[in-house]
């Protein structure tokens, strides 16, 4: 090989090494209602290729018409297409974050963890193994909440014993699935009653919402930090586990509702508008300071729905143009600093491919095309990727001439 080519080769190799961000880029996922969005329409509205989508399902899925037996598979005509990951239309390598809650109840009252048989767990593992994406399983979350069928007064020891059976079975059939232990944010300090042990947990998470219970007002500056610090420090830091905020948003309330403390009827009082209300929540969570404070934080999932609870609550950032603009501005600021992760396009989808195979195929595609996995789909970095891709091809051509 001519020594004259060496400087050019060095330049091309350097072009393939973009500057790395200060820490691991944040995965920003979303959980929306299937009647309002699909993954593709969400990406269009939000002007990004989101790297993860959340959905929920039960194993068993439902009960028989007479209510006496369970059915493991979802109905063919189930309108919630998000429960069938093979139907997602984003055309990307976005991950699937699956919340598997236990909402099924038999006619005789059997429910919750009592329906988690070995047969049910095999069905769960097999179903997850067929998903052609990286899968995260958030199994029976918010277990410290009495609104869950497996929550109090279910003994923590029972929850843990079922969890260990679940983890062992899921890993047997779908070893690449990451299992997420995710209590509600108000888990009391030192409460390890539902902790299955670090060898049975891949990620630690929690849910964080700001609700005014009749008041739309400024969120306290430390609210999010105070909400996550206990679980983050006692489990994620202690056991060196990646951390995920599994559900999150500010809850803008409207109409009339019921006080969570007294039960009295209340009319909403607002001291800020919806734009400011959501901006205070997301400007903290989507900030470099927040990410640097919690270095084990890998993902945040936005709960983008509106529903009736004690009050009618609108958690969405996608619906109101002004709210959406401010949310996107926070993302833009992080993305400009290399702190956001986005999805890559994929050529095809195969519902029979295993999760691990899909991840390997995606990685191979990235390596072959020279496309980096964390680059923005909106900023000028897309141009640099094109240049790097051509650099890789040029380098191969030069090697062929040696």
């Amino acid at each position: 090989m001519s020594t004259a080519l060496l400087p050019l080769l060095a330049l091309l190799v350097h072009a393939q090494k973009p500057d790395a961000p200060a820490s691991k880029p944040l995965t920003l996922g979303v959980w929306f209602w299937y009647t309002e969005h699909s993954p593709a329409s969400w990406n269009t509205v939000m002007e990004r290729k989101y790297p993860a989508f959340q959905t929920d399902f039960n194993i068993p899925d439902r009960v028989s018409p007479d209510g006496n037996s369970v059915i493991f598979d979802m109905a063919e005509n189930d309108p919630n297409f998000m429960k069938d990951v093979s139907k997602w239309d984003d055309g990307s390598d976005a991950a699937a974050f699956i919340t598997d809650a236990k909402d099924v109840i038999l006619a005789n009252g059997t429910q919750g963890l009592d329906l988690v048989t070995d047969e049910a767990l095999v069905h769960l593992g097999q179903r997850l193994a067929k998903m052609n994406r990286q899968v995260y399983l958030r199994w029976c979350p918010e277990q410290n909440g009495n609104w869950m069928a497996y929550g109090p007064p279910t003994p923590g020891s029972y929850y843990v014993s079922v969890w260990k059976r679940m983890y062992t079975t899921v890993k047997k059939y779908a070893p690449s699935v990451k299992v997420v232990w995710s209590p509600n944010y108000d888990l009391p300090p030192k409460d390890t009653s539902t902790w299955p042990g670090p060898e049975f947990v891949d990620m630690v998470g929690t849910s964080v919402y700001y609700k005014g219970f009749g008041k739309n007002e400024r969120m306290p500056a430390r609210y999010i930090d105070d909400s996550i610090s206990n679980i983050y420090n006692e489990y994620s830091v202690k056991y060196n586990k990646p951390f995920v905020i599994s559900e999150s948003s500010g809850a803008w309330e409207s109409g009339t509702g019921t006080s969570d403390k007294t039960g009295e009827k209340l009319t909403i009082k607002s001291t800020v508008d919806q734009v400011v209300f959501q901006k205070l929540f997301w400007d903290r969570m989507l900030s470099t300071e927040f990410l640097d404070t919690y270095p084990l934080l890998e993902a945040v999932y936005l709960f983008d729905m509106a529903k009736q609870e004690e009050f009618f609550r609108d958690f969405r950032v996608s619906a109101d143009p002004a709210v959406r603009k401010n949310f996107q501005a926070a993302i833009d600021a992080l993305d400009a600093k290399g702190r956001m992760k986005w999805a890559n396009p994929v050529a095809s989808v195969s519902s029979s491919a295993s999760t691990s195979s899909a991840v390997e195929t995606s990685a191979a595609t990235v390596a072959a095309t020279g496309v980096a996995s964390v680059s923005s789909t909106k900023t000028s970095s897309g141009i640099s990727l094109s240049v790097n891709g051509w650099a890789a091809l040029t380098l191969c051509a030069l090697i062929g001439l040696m």
Side-chain angles (χ1 to χ4, degrees), residues 233-284:
N233 289 316
E234 289 194 11
Y235 297 96
S236 187
V237 172
K238 182 176 181 179
Y239 298 106
N240 194 30
K241 298 290 184 180
F243 190 72
V244 53
I245 297 178
S246 308
E247 299 180 31
S248 57
S249 195
W252 176 260
E253 298 171 343
S254 59
T256 59
T258 305
S259 169
D260 64 320
K261 295 181 176 64
T262 66
E264 66 177 313
K265 295 293 183 180
L266 297 175
T267 299
I268 307 300
K269 297 179 181 179
S270 300
T271 58
V272 295
D273 62 21
Q274 189 173 3
V275 174
V276 172
F277 183 83
Q278 287 287 12
K279 180 177 172 60
L280 290 170
F281 186 93
W282 290 108
D283 278 4
R284 174 54 184 162

Side-chain angles (χ1 to χ4, degrees), residues 57 59 85-86 96 98 121-137 169-178 350-359:
F57 57 64
I59 299 288
V85 174
S86 69
I98 308 296
L121 291 175
V122 169
H123 273 79
L124 174 61
Q126 291 174 337
R127 182 170 175 178
L128 297 176
K130 293 177 182 178
M131 296 180 183
N132 59 323
R133 301 169 186 260
Q134 176 60 58
V135 176
Y136 297 85
L137 175 63
T169 303
V170 165
K171 289 294 185 175
K172 175 181 178 180
Y173 290 93
S176 66
V177 167
K178 305 296 183 184
S350 172
S351 60
S352 62
S354 68
T355 305
S356 58
S357 296
V359 173

Side-chain angles (χ1 to χ4, degrees), residues 30-66:
V30 60
W31 190 1
F32 50 69
W33 194 237
Y34 69 94
T35 59
E36 294 189 355
H37 289 290
S38 70
S41 72
W42 175 268
N43 285 343
T44 298
V45 170
M46 302 305 288
E47 301 178 359
R48 298 285 185 178
K49 288 189 177 297
Y50 269 58
F53 297 96
Q54 184 169 176
T55 189
D56 65 300
F57 57 64
N58 278 304
I59 299 288
D61 184 77
R62 60 197 191 283
V63 300
S64 60
D66 61 8

Side-chain angles (χ1 to χ4, degrees), residues 179-222:
V179 181
V180 184
W181 183 80
S182 185
N184 201 45
Y185 78 97
D186 54 357
L187 183 74
K190 309 302 179 183
D191 182 357
T192 60
S193 60
T194 64
W195 174 245
E199 66 272 30
F200 294 99
V201 173
D202 299 317
M203 296 185 73
V204 170
T206 192
S207 307
V208 181
Y209 292 100
Y210 181 67
K211 302 177 181 180
F213 292 97
K215 297 179 180 179
N216 293 316
E217 57 188 4
R218 301 180 71 88
M219 182 186 75
R222 289 279 314 170

Side-chain angles (χ1 to χ4, degrees), residues 28 39-51 53 90 92 327-336 340-343 374-381:
L28 177 62
S41 72
W42 175 268
N43 285 343
T44 298
V45 170
M46 302 305 288
E47 301 178 359
R48 298 285 185 178
K49 288 189 177 297
Y50 269 58
F53 297 96
D90 54 304
S92 78
F327 181 78
Q328 290 172 314
I331 292 174
D332 289 344
L334 272 183
D335 193 43
M340 298 297 296
K341 177 180 179 179
W342 304 109
V374 297
S375 297
S376 166
T377 59
K378 184 178 179 181
T379 64
S380 60
S381 61

Side-chain angles (χ1 to χ4, degrees), residues 72-105:
F72 293 111
D73 298 319
M74 63 183 293
E76 291 185 3
N77 59 349
D78 192 320
N80 188 352
F81 65 91
M82 287 297 292
K83 292 164 62 175
D84 185 351
V85 174
S86 69
K87 294 181 179 179
W88 290 8
D89 59 359
D90 54 304
S92 78
D93 63 355
F97 193 86
I98 308 296
T99 291
D100 187 4
K102 300 302 169 193
D103 299 329
V104 175
I105 304 176

